[in-house]
Amino acid sequence: MVRVPTAAVAATGLVAGYAVARWSKKRPLGGVVLAAAGAVAAREWQRKAGNVTAAALSGVYVAAFVGSHPLAKKIGAWPSVFTVAGGVTLASWVAVDGRK
């Protein structure tokens, strides 16, 4: 079975969550996508790197979601989502996926 990097799961959750919320016009549905991807990523972070790393990266994931809202007012919605998704991707790669 092919393992998808946790960085990709987390970034996809942020981008897809926003896309679903925007195009469906149902923010709770986007939240479900965001939460589901976050849960999968957190489970893998915990399995691969332990509880402390999983908790820290989960905090980064939530902070990215929260931080994307004020950032969107400055740079636009999609640029904001891609910016925070990139930050989460980098954090996850450094802390978990890039380790050998």
Side-chain angles (χ1 to χ4, degrees):
M1 185 165 132
V2 175
R3 295 267 180 198
V4 177
T6 61
V9 173
T12 299
L14 289 161
V15 173
Y18 175 68
V20 167
R22 180 175 177 143
W23 289 318
S24 71
K25 300 198 185 322
K26 295 186 181 354
R27 292 178 74 183
L29 186 57
V32 169
V33 172
L34 177 82
V40 169
R43 185 185 73 230
E44 288 301 301
W45 290 327
Q46 191 278 328
R47 187 180 69 76
K48 292 179 178 180
N51 293 332
V52 172
T53 301
L57 288 172
S58 294
V60 168
Y61 187 77
V62 171
F65 168 69
V66 171
S68 69
H69 292 81
L71 184 59
K73 292 179 181 181
K74 295 185 185 295
I75 66 172
W78 279 112
S80 173
V81 170
F82 287 127
T83 298
V84 300
V88 169
T89 298
L90 179 61
S92 183
W93 185 261
V94 168
V96 178
D97 298 324
R99 298 185 329 162
K100 296 291 177 195

